[in-house]
Amino acid sequence: MENDETKGAEVTIRLGAAAGDGIQSAGEMMMKVLARSGLYISTYNGNQSLIRGGHVWFHIHAGTRKVYSLGYGIDFLVPLTQLAFDQHFESVNTGGAVIYDPSIVKPHDLQQGVRGIPVPLGEIALKYDKRPIMKNTVALGALTSNLGVKFEVLADAITDQFGRKNPGVAESNIKAAREGYDLVKNLGAQSFELKYDYSCTKPVLTADYAFALGAVNAGCRFYAAYPMSPASPIVHWMASHAKQLGLTVFLGEDEISVINATIGASYAGARAMCGTSGGGFALMQEAVGEAAMTETPVVVVDVMRAGPSTGLPTKTSQGDLNMMLGISQDDFPRIILAPRDSADSFYTAGRAFNLAERYQVPAIILLDFAIGDGGYSTVEGLDPSFTVDRGKVVSVPSPGAVSGGWFRRFALTDDNISPRSFPGTPDLMFVAKTDEHDEWGHDLSDVNSGLKEFLPLRVKMHEKRMKKLESIKKELRLPEIFGPTGADITIVTWGSSANPAREAVQRLRMQGVSVNSLEFTDLYPLNESEIKRILQVPGKKVALEANYTGQFETLLKRETGIIMDAHIRKYDGEPIYPSEVEKGVLSLRKEVHAVV
Amino acid sequence: MRLSDLKEFESDTRPDWCPGCGDFGVLAALKDALVKSGKKPHEVAVVSGIGCSSNLPGYIRTYGFHGLHGRPVPVAVGIKNANPSLTVIATAGDGDEYGIGFNHVVHAARRNDDIKLIVMNNEIYGLTTGQLSPTSKLGQKTKTSPDGSIIYPLQPLPTILGAGGTFIARTFSGDPKHMSWVIQEAIKHRGFALIDAISPCVTWYNIYDEVKKLFYRIEDRGYKITDQQAAFNAMNDPQGIPTGIFYRTEEKQSFQEKLAEINGGKAPAESVQTLDRNVALQLIQEFA
């Protein structure tokens, strides 16, 4: 049930234009304006795989209380092209408004209760500079005015955006924005005022940026990548901070080079990480097995986009989980983690490094476009306190650790983890082998392979690697409940699908629906017994994920035998909207009632 | 400083190569070169791919990484980037480096990565029992070319010269002193070194006698390293097999030297620590 209080507590904004109109930077400026007015933010970047033309949009959901996803509908639509209007006007909420330039956009078929606010954006822009791109700053002026935010906040955001490069550009943009602001103010069109707190600015970042920051905070000083959307923000952040923080950023010739260099760096003693998207990860797969076989820790980030193959490079999906479960030849241990949002991403980076190093295994991180590239969310009170745990690293030989001049690098131990040394350390030489090997790193693949006295050793070495999973699973995070425990319906999410579920849960509960959600972030290895216990809920279980086959639902069934009662799956490339979750849950609820 | 002796580099593992394999000569020359270069075993990382020749790490007592087919160069680059104080040597065959992984060689050359690549070139795939390799000759009969190869061989040295290579050499496992000298010079070199080491396969394609007859040292014929054009001419001899250092320049900075200008010489392997709390908080605040 909506009431004035909840309605006034949040706002949704969508800016739409052609690529090259500067809509992403306009969106990010608007996002900053609202964040610096004390609001919580969640955004989505609806871009296309092109540099000029087409249709791109930027969506902002802001609220006085924590927001998680994209909210419901659009309160303010700012279409800079007719196509942008045509694509989005039907989603404008009753009581909402469309700010448009009447010389460009014909606002046809506006629904009742939706106001059109004509502003001559282009004409105003050209008064201050011969750059029509400035029409988007005029629009931001009009929008800011409509929201009742004081102009200085916008002026500051514009200065931040343009000031350093060119103070003249910032100045003309501010003047143009001011005219848009005053024009709307004089119209008396201000319609929507939230409670602002200009003293309370909360950082707003994407999960890509947060992961990069979290990794460096955890001791990572080596990052390798090949450019690929939507993982590129990670390498951009790393490169732009390389000097300040002493980072080594390696842009390899392909993803095969990227992951092999990362493994080499880790072998040499660095905390090393690489990032890509699904297509790039497909090229890396053989080397992930190499990391596992040589017991070289490595952190690999896959920022998922819609596939298969090139797929939809700028659209979202959670479709790479099966790939991660099935990487490379034969069996080897791996860790798969899927943070929900930016704050989660920051902390997950540190956990991933400690887990990868302590267990000497590859750790794979699944982010996705929805939260990774353009999916900004507010973080509050991020705590950089962190303890680096490198596990069993040795620098002097212990008794029995060296034989025949070689270090017993792959020693069979009670906990299946062997001591590790780094090149440069005297007397602890070893060869990291992708061939099966004995405890000293000698091949079991050539003169000894198949010999009956060596078969048990192959078994032991294989088991030693695989049994690490048993210990890892006890350390991974169990799913968390959002909403009250005990509900008629539980939405089961993983990674970013937690966010739309949260907003749907909030709204459904206001409608009196008994629903909560259960959020998985640590996907593999699963702690079967604990998860079985947690999922013994009395209500119906609905799996929510952005892929066709229900990859996580299938994993859960495979590992725990748990079968979902229903599922909501989305694979059109667009983010999951809370309204879609709401609809799915309500249809299930009817079914529940029918059964009862 | 006390020089190491050869014994320190001796492994307890005997090579599994065929008797008479050219790779024995390369192994011996590498050990000799490391001793004469004053290296200690723990200061050296030898990285290989897959194939007979790539079994070399483990036959020499240093740090070793026996990786994937075609990928020793990027692993070596990662090691060098993480800890530039190490001497990093990649050893692999022509299948690894001129076939599946040639891309990496081209880019290591253009970046001038400070790693030394020794390619044991036998013009055949040996461990997979004798198929055409990228350097197999036109007309060469193999299991995959029973009527003779219909593909022209790759010319790796001029190709890497064109890619910006800063040290390009060829040597022959039947000329161990020369090979050791070339490797020592490569270790001294500022940046990427490609050493094409002719290392005949006695089982599948024995060209030992032919190479022995046709090879010569360019240095013996008065060759002096000058420019790329001269190097190109010296590499290209249809009548004989020239060996020696064709091209070398110390003018280009290595990739790792350039990286150090950006990261302030902070080796990633020596910098595994959390950020200063205030720095971390300020980085977060950049997003406000």
Side-chain angles (χ1 to χ4, degrees):
Chain A
M1 196 179 77
E2 288 181 14
N3 55 40
D4 287 347
E5 196 187 321
T6 52
K7 189 152 176 54
E10 57 182 51
V11 63
T12 52
I13 296 162
R14 191 168 294 183
L15 313 174
D21 283 344
I23 212 68
Q24 186 170 353
S25 68
E28 288 176 359
M29 277 192 279
M30 195 61 214
M31 170 187 92
K32 272 193 181 161
V33 167
L34 297 172
R36 291 172 182 185
S37 304
L39 300 187
Y40 291 88
I41 307 288
S42 177
T43 75
Y44 182 78
N45 183 7
N47 68 12
Q48 294 180 323
S49 188
L50 45 73
I51 305 301
R52 294 264 169 190
H55 169 59
V56 297
W57 48 276
F58 196 91
H59 183 94
I60 303 168
H61 182 202
T64 50
R65 290 177 307 182
K66 181 93 179 125
V67 296
Y68 304 103
S69 182
L70 304 181
Y72 282 78
I74 303 168
D75 295 322
F76 286 97
L77 175 64
V78 186
L80 296 183
T81 60
Q82 187 65 46
L83 180 58
F85 177 84
D86 294 344
Q87 285 289 312
H88 302 289
F89 77 95
E90 287 161 324
S91 306
V92 179
N93 295 325
T94 307
V98 181
I99 299 171
Y100 66 99
D101 184 333
S103 70
I104 298 165
V105 172
K106 303 286 163 252
H108 55 80
D109 302 317
L110 275 187
Q111 285 167 355
Q112 242 191 339
V114 174
R115 288 174 313 119
I117 306 175
V119 182
L121 303 171
E123 200 186 303
I124 295 173
L126 288 174
K127 277 206 293 201
Y128 296 96
D129 203 338
K130 288 197 172 42
R131 295 167 0 107
I133 193 169
M134 265 173 39
K135 63 181 182 277
N136 64 43
T137 20
V138 182
L140 294 190
L143 185 56
T144 306
S145 178
N146 233 305
L147 288 164
V149 173
K150 64 179 184 183
F151 181 75
E152 289 68 26
V153 188
L154 175 59
D156 283 349
I158 293 171
T159 305
D160 281 1
Q161 186 77 17
F162 302 108
R164 256 176 290 171
K165 283 186 214 154
N166 191 337
V169 171
E171 199 181 319
S172 50
N173 270 282
I174 288 170
K175 282 181 186 159
R178 179 91 227 185
E179 187 160 340
Y181 188 91
D182 289 343
L183 190 144
V184 167
K185 200 172 179 186
N186 296 338
L187 282 177
Q190 182 187 315
S191 59
F192 219 94
E193 188 161 347
L194 282 74
K195 209 172 169 190
Y196 303 118
D197 178 357
Y198 300 114
S199 68
C200 176
T201 295
K202 298 176 186 73
V204 182
L205 64 165
T206 65
D208 277 12
Y209 291 134
F211 202 87
L213 228 164
V216 174
N217 189 53
C220 171
R221 298 291 182 276
F222 179 96
Y223 184 70
Y226 182 87
M228 188 167 189
S229 295
S232 293
I234 302 177
V235 73
H236 297 166
W237 189 89
M238 292 283 188
S240 65
H241 290 80
K243 261 200 170 137
Q244 182 197 347
L245 303 173
L247 311 178
T248 295
V249 180
F250 178 67
L251 199 71
E253 57 271 15
D254 54 33
E255 284 88 351
I256 295 172
S257 161
V258 161
I259 189 165
N260 276 282
T262 307
I263 291 167
S266 173
Y267 162 83
R271 280 205 150 174
M273 169 168 101
C274 59
T276 184
S277 188
F281 193 91
L283 291 180
M284 294 182 174
Q285 291 199 36
E286 186 189 22
V288 180
E290 171 183 45
M293 186 57 150
T294 59
E295 305 197 51
T296 309
V298 64
V299 175
V300 187
V301 186
D302 171 11
V303 189
M304 295 179 284
R305 66 193 214 188
S309 193
T310 309
L312 296 162
T314 61
K315 299 297 172 189
T316 201
S317 157
Q318 294 179 295
D320 292 351
L321 175 58
N322 276 352
M323 174 162 67
M324 301 313 165
L325 293 166
I327 306 162
S328 201
Q329 315 93 319
D330 212 324
D331 291 316
F332 63 77
R334 70 206 67 180
I335 297 170
I336 306 172
L337 309 175
R340 292 163 287 202
D341 55 23
S342 300
D344 218 2
S345 192
F346 176 84
Y347 296 118
T348 300
R351 284 204 301 134
F353 273 105
N354 278 2
L355 285 165
E357 288 216 301
R358 284 180 38 232
Y359 290 99
Q360 302 172 19
V361 294
I364 293 144
I365 313 305
L366 290 172
L367 303 177
D368 58 37
F369 182 86
I371 55 170
D373 185 354
Y376 288 87
S377 65
T378 299
V379 296
E380 251 185 322
L382 270 194
D383 181 6
S385 306
F386 182 77
T387 305
V388 172
D389 184 352
R390 307 204 71 184
K392 291 189 189 176
V393 175
V394 294
S395 54
V396 285
S398 57
V402 175
S403 163
W406 294 106
F407 173 45
R408 196 178 177 182
R409 163 68 182 94
F410 303 99
L412 294 164
T413 61
D414 290 344
D415 61 2
N416 302 301
I417 301 163
S418 317
R420 188 160 69 110
S421 67
F422 297 133
T425 314
D427 304 322
L428 291 173
M429 277 81 72
F430 70 96
V431 181
K433 283 268 177 188
T434 56
D435 284 74
E436 187 60 280
H437 43 269
D438 68 12
E439 293 178 84
W440 282 268
H442 298 126
D443 277 336
L444 286 182
S445 53
D446 52 9
V447 294
N448 294 329
S449 65
L451 300 188
K452 60 183 182 217
E453 57 269 42
F454 287 99
L455 295 180
L457 188 53
R458 146 68 181 182
V459 172
K460 278 183 188 161
M461 297 306 287
H462 200 39
E463 286 178 352
K464 149 198 164 47
R465 291 186 296 268
M466 292 308 294
K467 280 179 178 170
K468 291 189 231 176
L469 288 171
E470 296 303 316
S471 313
I472 295 168
K473 72 172 59 160
K474 295 193 185 103
E475 285 203 41
L476 294 192
R477 217 158 57 178
L478 292 166
E480 289 175 5
I481 288 179
F482 182 82
T485 52
D488 290 348
I489 296 168
T490 297
I491 307 167
V492 176
T493 71
W494 68 273
S496 73
S497 69
N499 305 315
R502 286 181 177 193
E503 291 192 355
V505 164
Q506 285 180 328
R507 181 173 282 223
L508 283 161
R509 294 194 70 84
M510 282 197 288
Q511 297 166 36
V513 180
S514 167
V515 60
N516 60 14
S517 57
L518 189 65
E519 304 170 343
F520 281 83
T521 56
D522 294 7
L523 309 184
Y524 191 85
L526 285 176
N527 187 337
E528 311 90 347
S529 54
E530 282 299 300
I531 287 163
K532 271 188 204 164
R533 185 183 59 74
I534 291 166
L535 271 168
Q536 265 177 358
V537 292
K540 295 257 173 189
K541 297 180 285 291
V542 194
L544 173 67
E545 57 188 310
N547 61 66
Y548 181 87
T549 53
Q551 296 182 7
F552 183 68
E553 185 183 349
T554 311
L555 173 69
L556 260 187
K557 185 179 164 192
R558 186 185 94 185
E559 298 287 314
T560 68
I562 293 165
I563 295 172
M564 294 286 124
D565 298 289
H567 54 245
I568 304 165
R569 297 172 187 169
K570 188 173 183 185
Y571 37 85
D572 64 358
E574 295 303 309
I576 300 171
Y577 284 96
S579 59
E580 294 167 328
V581 184
E582 181 185 359
K583 208 173 125 196
V585 169
L586 287 175
S587 69
L588 182 78
R589 193 183 176 221
K590 275 183 204 130
E591 204 183 294
V592 177
H593 282 258
V595 173
V596 169
Chain B
M1 186 189 72
R2 183 185 69 88
L3 281 184
S4 321
D5 59 39
L6 275 173
K7 273 191 192 141
E8 289 185 56
F9 289 92
E10 291 297 332
S11 170
D12 64 343
T13 310
R14 284 212 338 258
D16 60 3
W17 297 319
C18 305
C21 177
D23 296 347
F24 284 104
V26 179
L27 177 61
L30 176 59
K31 286 178 188 166
D32 186 62
L34 287 170
V35 171
K36 288 182 176 153
S37 301
K39 300 293 171 190
K40 301 283 175 198
H42 67 272
E43 298 166 345
V44 180
V46 179
V47 186
S48 73
I50 295 299
C52 296
S53 56
S54 281
N55 286 354
L56 191 144
Y59 303 152
I60 180 168
R61 187 172 160 268
T62 64
Y63 280 91
F65 194 101
H66 187 177
L68 298 173
H69 190 42
R71 314 305 166 200
V73 166
V75 172
V77 170
I79 293 171
K80 188 71 185 178
N81 286 347
N83 184 354
S85 69
L86 296 169
T87 297
V88 184
I89 294 171
T91 60
D94 43 310
D96 256 287
E97 297 310 317
Y98 299 153
I100 187 168
F102 191 54
N103 182 29
H104 307 308
V105 183
V106 171
H107 289 278
R110 97 179 153 87
R111 283 190 301 260
N112 200 27
D113 282 305
D114 193 6
I115 62 165
K116 321 301 165 187
L117 172 61
I118 302 171
V119 184
M120 285 163 265
N121 184 359
N122 59 10
E123 303 177 9
I124 193 89
Y125 282 89
L127 194 55
T128 50
T129 71
Q131 297 85 10
L132 274 181
S133 106
T135 47
S136 293
K137 295 185 185 76
L138 195 65
Q140 186 175 324
K141 286 189 177 176
T142 70
K143 281 188 178 169
T144 56
S145 58
D147 298 317
S149 170
I150 55 171
I151 312 171
Y152 292 95
L154 181 75
Q155 301 293 337
L157 300 192
T159 309
I160 294 306
L161 183 65
T166 54
F167 184 107
I168 299 169
R170 179 186 287 127
T171 178
F172 171 41
S173 66
D175 189 6
K177 277 191 179 158
H178 183 259
M179 185 173 280
S180 171
W181 170 72
V182 170
I183 296 172
Q184 288 172 57
E185 291 303 309
I187 289 170
K188 280 183 222 157
H189 173 63
R190 179 192 202 184
F192 182 74
L194 171 62
I195 301 170
D196 183 65
I198 302 170
S199 181
C201 173
V202 292
T203 302
W204 301 109
Y205 186 57
N206 195 346
I207 51 171
Y208 188 85
D209 291 339
E210 183 194 334
V211 178
K212 185 97 183 160
K213 197 163 65 191
L214 292 177
F215 95 98
Y216 59 91
R217 299 174 175 176
I218 52 172
E219 295 85 6
D220 291 349
R221 299 192 177 180
Y223 180 77
K224 292 274 178 286
I225 298 163
T226 52
D227 58 11
Q228 286 159 311
Q229 190 57 52
F232 187 81
N233 292 340
M235 290 169 186
N236 184 28
D237 179 355
Q239 313 304 330
I241 301 173
T243 67
I245 302 170
F246 299 100
Y247 186 69
R248 177 178 188 171
T249 173
E250 304 293 330
E251 297 298 308
K252 277 193 191 173
Q253 281 183 299
S254 73
F255 182 66
Q256 286 66 32
E257 286 178 276
K258 289 184 172 167
L259 274 181
E261 288 175 2
I262 297 170
N263 66 26
K266 295 191 183 80
E270 305 294 330
S271 318
V272 180
Q273 62 213 27
T274 55
L275 289 172
D276 174 88
R277 188 177 174 84
N278 288 330
V279 172
L281 291 173
Q282 176 242 317
L283 290 169
I284 295 165
Q285 211 52 36
E286 284 177 13
F287 291 97

